[in-house]
Amino acid sequence: MRADPRIVDLQALRRLNRLTLQTSSAGGARLATEAGALQVEAYAAGIIRMRLTAGPDEASDDYGVLVAAPERPPHARFTADGGVFRLETASPDGTALALALRPDPFRLRLTRNGRPLLESTTDGHIRGGLRIPSLALEDRGAAPPVWWLALALRSGEPIYGLGEKFGPLNHRGQLITSWAEDALGVNSELSYKNAPFAWSPEGWGLFVHTTARVHHGAGYPQWSQRSYVVRVEDPVLDLFLLAGDSPAAILERYTHLTGRTPLPPRWGYGVWMSRAWYRTADEAMEAARGLRERHIPCDVFTLDGRAWLKVETRFGFEWDRDRYPDPEAFARELKALNFKLCVWEYPYVSVHNPLFKELAAKGYLLRTPSGEPYVYEWDPRPFGTLLSQLPPSGMVDFTNPDAYAWYRDAHERLFAQGVDVLKSDFGEQIPEDVVAFNGDSGARVHNAHPLLYNRCVFEATERHAPGEGMVWARSGWAGSQRYPIQWGGDPQVDWEGLAASIRGGLSWGLTGVPFHSHDIGGFYHVTPAAMPDPELYVRWTQAGVMASHTRFHGTSPREPWHYGDEAERIVRAWLEWRYRLIPYLEACAYEASRTGLPVMRAMPLAFPDDRAAWAFEEQYLLGPSLLVAPVIAPGGRVRFYLPADGWFDLDTGERLAGPRVIERTMPLDQMPMYGRDGYLLPLGPVVQHTGELAPGVQINEVWVFGEPRHGLEWPGFSIDKTLQGVPDGVHVRRWRD
């Protein structure tokens, strides 16, 4: 049984104190410690790397997490004076970054332009010395040792990032685990998408470069309420210290290391319609026709796992021919209605599928320590009567280049049959005792698996439609932003499920990932097959529309006409608004591809100088121009915050000045949305699907909030603050006091 890190005896950890210089150069040094060699390197502007190895310094597979090679700043300098080792860098913009290391006990101190950003823990013991070590090893007997690093936190200093977490965005006081989990909802710390990257508005970020499990005690009081403590289950402690003058600058540095998003296809910004399953092809087609007949805008129609596959033999890229005797004809009929087709998959192969033996013989499946194909036995309890029980399955080994290529290329038959995009579900179920083709155990492969899996599927879609690569992924790790997009798993059908889904998307954005969606209406109800009430359905639609991507999904029908005439009318209007936003969303995506800024920007990221704003964790900026405050409670009552700026109410046109807290009761068809003074909002036409849009950036109207001070950019096209670039004939609407 795995030891519980919450009850580790901190005094029993092996503290590291010694630092001895071995070699040095202008850009870094190699130092000796009691546990191994510590390499310090000026990696890039605003980035310093520390790599400490317990044992032989052998390079391990990082699974492509890191994409940026070292680009040493030209003015890096290393000095050793009086037992203090100091690495200084100067960026082209004049920013000076310095890391000082001291022995007895080990201490680090990071400064930017002389201002302290980060230092080792100051948590002392009444008996003298540090109560919690600043750097230590935890002995685990026959298992590899575990690293501990403790850094000081100021009172009230928040910690953000660490992946898609559904609780408070500020992780201060929490114990967060970077470990991909089938979270079975959004109600706990467990999450599908993790990344061991955290940052503080004080100007620093910390990225633990590993695919192993990492625990983050962010002022976690059972360890130290005044320290940020990381526990890393990897023989190598590989840290990147990041610095910037704003949270946006820190995200830019992090995504410089781990990569940025390509631009998704335009149709991906349209509406995606799905439910846990359509029982027959006729039932699915009836829903698709209903969307068009009722003039409900939509671009993508999704067949979930049970909808097109036989559960007992999945997954083998094979349609259930009992229900779909002619998949090509089904796809043609769907495309005649102007839908893209998305189908579900996961990277496991049932033992009941003949493909299992074929893949096992080729060595394409993860194995047991004795060399046999590892058969994963699914826990039946989460599925109950709600979802089908899953068959014992082998797990595709993406560390095997031949298996990777086979899985990628096997998608070709689906594209030939008319599939456009894949919902790449699951990916979290890799036991720690598996053995991979590359020799790694499941302890290192587990978190890498979501990254490799979704990279593989993304590359398959790129081959089908170059420049239009996209997946609809549930699991993720550091670097997943390179393979858009991800959705938020399986929320409970209630108001707290909605609120947690919003926080999950914002937290993922605070970790440098620009796109996110959630299941409009919620996925599961505590009563099987029950549906959300119309009010919740409408409010979830409003929040889902005002995200980077929009999808309806759940275990019961999600098409609007199932919720009554009023709900259908309101939802139709919001979906029409969604399509008008597409040119704006494309500009936001282009900014993300260049800077790493997410489309949905939580308040600490959007307004880092306004501490009052940080407490409002379910509201956000959608891009630079729109403030959104979803209604997350019945009755329409909402409390939100307008930062110091001018804000235009999109419903009334009224201009309000911040900072101020507002409480309003919103009619069911309205949600608080405000245009930001000095910014632009380009809008397109109302269409039923993106196929009705002309090529290029199609703008019908530009809203100008106050006096414009900021423009927007698209690939090869821009509108500046003087409105230069607005196409001829486009109406400009000026919002004024």
Side-chain angles (χ1 to χ4, degrees):
M1 182 177 294
R2 173 173 295 275
D4 187 345
R6 294 172 298 178
I7 56 175
V8 168
D9 181 0
L10 300 177
Q11 296 300 309
L13 299 176
R14 179 186 170 198
R15 300 173 183 235
L16 303 184
N17 297 309
R18 183 167 61 87
L19 285 177
T20 305
L21 180 62
Q22 292 183 325
T23 61
S24 68
S25 66
R30 179 184 175 96
L31 307 169
T33 75
E34 303 95 321
L38 170 62
Q39 294 177 314
V40 185
E41 177 184 13
Y43 199 83
I47 304 174
I48 291 177
R49 185 180 194 177
M50 296 174 53
R51 191 172 188 273
L52 181 54
T53 306
D57 190 4
E58 298 178 357
S60 57
D61 191 344
D62 94 327
Y63 298 98
V65 170
L66 206 64
V67 299
E71 45 186 53
R72 180 178 303 159
H75 303 294
R77 183 170 70 108
F78 179 83
T79 59
D81 184 20
V84 179
F85 306 101
R86 186 175 179 85
L87 178 61
E88 300 173 291
T89 71
S91 301
D93 64 359
T95 300
L97 187 65
L99 175 68
L101 302 175
R102 299 173 182 266
D104 300 319
F106 172 89
R107 303 196 61 74
L108 68 80
R109 181 180 174 89
L110 183 70
T111 61
R112 182 176 181 273
N113 294 337
R115 173 179 171 266
L117 295 182
L118 191 62
E119 64 177 332
S120 293
T121 182
T122 56
D123 187 340
H125 202 291
I126 195 170
R127 295 193 298 265
L130 293 174
R131 191 186 66 85
I132 185 168
S134 54
L135 180 63
L137 278 173
E138 175 188 339
D139 185 9
R140 299 196 298 171
V146 169
W147 294 102
W148 289 72
L149 176 77
L151 304 166
L153 292 175
R154 299 172 176 86
S155 289
E157 181 176 4
I159 298 293
Y160 296 105
L162 298 177
E164 175 196 51
K165 296 297 176 179
F166 304 108
L169 300 181
N170 177 8
H171 300 309
R172 185 68 181 258
Q174 301 175 27
L175 178 62
I176 299 292
T177 302
S178 297
W179 189 252
E181 296 274 6
D182 185 347
L184 302 175
V186 298
N187 299 343
S188 72
E189 185 273 334
L190 303 180
S191 62
Y192 312 89
K193 294 171 278 295
N194 296 264
F197 161 61
W199 58 269
S200 162
E202 293 291 337
W204 61 266
L206 177 68
F207 172 47
V208 185
H209 178 218
T210 184
T211 60
R213 181 187 277 105
V214 182
H215 297 284
H216 309 260
Y220 176 61
Q222 282 82 342
W223 289 349
S224 172
Q225 58 86 11
R226 57 187 287 168
S227 306
Y228 173 41
V229 182
V230 291
R231 178 182 183 271
V232 184
E233 298 184 9
D234 193 321
V236 178
L237 180 64
D238 195 1
L239 306 174
F240 286 87
L241 304 175
L242 316 178
D245 60 3
S246 67
I250 296 170
L251 290 188
E252 189 278 334
R253 291 289 77 196
Y254 169 70
T255 54
H256 170 77
L257 289 173
T258 60
R260 301 206 174 103
T261 185
L263 296 177
R266 171 173 290 174
W267 52 264
Y269 300 105
V271 174
W272 299 52
M273 184 59 67
S274 178
R275 60 169 95 156
W277 68 312
Y278 301 95
R279 298 177 185 275
T280 66
D282 288 341
E283 184 180 36
M285 197 57 66
E286 180 184 5
R289 292 194 197 99
L291 293 168
R292 293 291 180 243
E293 291 167 358
R294 294 170 179 267
H295 302 287
I296 295 169
C298 185
D299 259 87
V300 185
F301 195 84
T302 301
L303 298 181
D304 216 57
R306 289 190 297 171
W308 74 286
L309 299 164
K310 289 186 176 180
V311 175
E312 61 272 18
T313 58
R314 73 184 190 191
F315 174 74
F317 302 93
E318 302 160 337
W319 290 76
D320 179 352
R321 294 287 178 159
D322 292 337
R323 290 182 292 162
Y324 295 87
D326 189 346
E328 292 86 352
F330 175 84
R332 283 196 301 270
E333 186 174 356
L334 199 63
K335 291 179 185 301
L337 294 169
N338 295 296
F339 287 106
K340 300 290 186 179
L341 175 58
C342 174
V343 298
W344 178 102
E345 69 173 282
Y346 68 3
Y348 312 98
V349 180
S350 168
V351 297
H352 306 304
N353 192 319
L355 187 59
F356 174 85
K357 290 184 179 180
E358 177 186 336
L359 299 182
K362 292 180 177 179
Y364 288 2
L365 302 177
L366 292 167
R367 295 183 173 271
T368 67
S370 62
E372 299 298 318
Y374 197 113
V375 176
Y376 186 83
E377 300 282 350
W378 299 86
D379 181 355
R381 290 172 296 177
F383 300 95
T385 59
L386 184 64
L387 298 171
S388 302
Q389 299 297 332
L390 303 181
S393 301
M395 298 165 281
V396 177
D397 185 352
F398 292 104
T399 74
N400 182 334
D402 292 336
Y404 185 100
W406 168 82
Y407 193 87
R408 178 197 62 213
D409 296 345
H411 288 84
E412 291 300 321
R413 75 185 77 164
L414 296 181
F415 297 132
Q417 291 166 334
V419 171
D420 298 286
V421 66
L422 284 305
K423 175 183 175 180
S424 47
D425 204 353
F426 287 79
E428 309 93 350
Q429 292 79 7
I430 303 299
E432 292 186 60
D433 58 341
V434 304
V435 177
F437 175 84
N438 69 349
D440 272 348
S441 72
R444 292 200 77 248
V445 174
H446 178 95
N447 285 325
H449 192 257
L451 183 67
L452 297 178
Y453 163 41
N454 285 295
R455 176 194 303 165
C456 185
V457 181
F458 178 87
E459 290 176 358
T461 65
E462 275 277 298
R463 288 188 171 207
H464 166 63
E468 290 199 349
M470 181 170 54
V471 295
W472 195 268
R474 187 176 79 173
S475 57
W477 187 249
S480 284
Q481 63 270 17
R482 306 198 302 265
Y483 315 110
I485 68 163
Q486 295 83 38
W487 102 93
D490 303 327
Q492 184 172 324
V493 178
D494 62 13
W495 293 94
E496 288 304 315
L498 167 58
S501 295
I502 295 168
R503 291 192 298 269
L506 294 177
S507 183
W508 195 224
L510 292 172
T511 316
V513 185
F515 306 127
H516 190 269
S517 180
H518 41 82
D519 290 348
I520 292 177
F523 181 70
Y524 73 93
H525 199 285
V526 292
T527 303
M531 295 168 59
D533 66 69
E535 181 187 8
L536 175 60
Y537 177 77
V538 168
R539 295 303 188 191
W540 211 315
T541 297
Q542 293 166 348
V545 161
M546 300 303 288
S548 79
H549 291 76
T550 299
R551 185 186 71 158
F552 293 80
H553 187 58
T555 57
S556 53
R558 289 292 178 269
E559 297 83 14
W561 57 85
H562 294 285
Y563 296 86
D565 292 344
E566 182 186 26
E568 180 180 348
R569 174 184 59 79
I570 295 172
V571 167
R572 181 185 297 106
W574 276 89
L575 298 187
E576 291 172 348
W577 168 248
R578 169 72 188 187
Y579 277 80
R580 295 206 70 196
L581 287 174
I582 284 179
Y584 175 63
L585 294 170
E586 289 178 321
C588 296
Y590 183 54
E591 183 177 23
S593 73
R594 293 178 294 120
T595 68
L597 270 178
V599 175
M600 297 169 64
R601 303 170 189 178
M603 303 305 275
L605 174 60
F607 300 97
D609 298 324
D610 187 347
R611 292 188 69 96
W614 304 352
F616 292 81
E617 294 196 331
E618 289 85 26
Q619 69 176 59
Y620 51 92
L621 282 186
L622 185 72
S625 306
L626 292 177
L627 186 141
V628 180
V631 178
I632 57 172
R637 193 71 177 167
V638 60
R639 183 175 184 269
F640 58 97
Y641 178 81
L642 296 181
D645 212 332
W647 300 94
F648 291 86
D649 187 323
L650 296 197
D651 288 313
T652 67
E654 179 185 13
R655 184 186 187 279
L656 299 176
R660 66 169 68 185
V661 176
I662 297 176
E663 293 191 31
R664 293 179 61 187
T665 299
M666 303 299 299
L668 185 59
D669 61 348
Q670 295 179 18
M671 176 179 73
M673 294 191 298
Y674 287 81
R676 191 178 182 186
D677 199 331
Y679 289 79
L680 310 177
L681 180 64
L683 297 172
V686 174
V687 293
Q688 291 299 296
H689 55 86
T690 56
E692 295 179 347
L693 297 174
V697 181
Q698 185 170 350
I699 299 172
N700 282 29
E701 190 173 10
V702 175
W703 292 359
V704 181
F705 301 114
E707 292 301 319
R709 301 186 303 275
H710 306 273
L712 289 171
E713 292 185 56
W714 296 260
F717 173 69
S718 65
I719 300 175
D720 67 19
K721 64 182 180 181
T722 68
L723 302 187
Q724 183 71 30
V726 173
D728 292 340
V730 169
H731 175 66
V732 175
R733 177 183 176 185
R734 295 183 179 273
W735 296 60
R736 301 187 184 278
D737 293 352

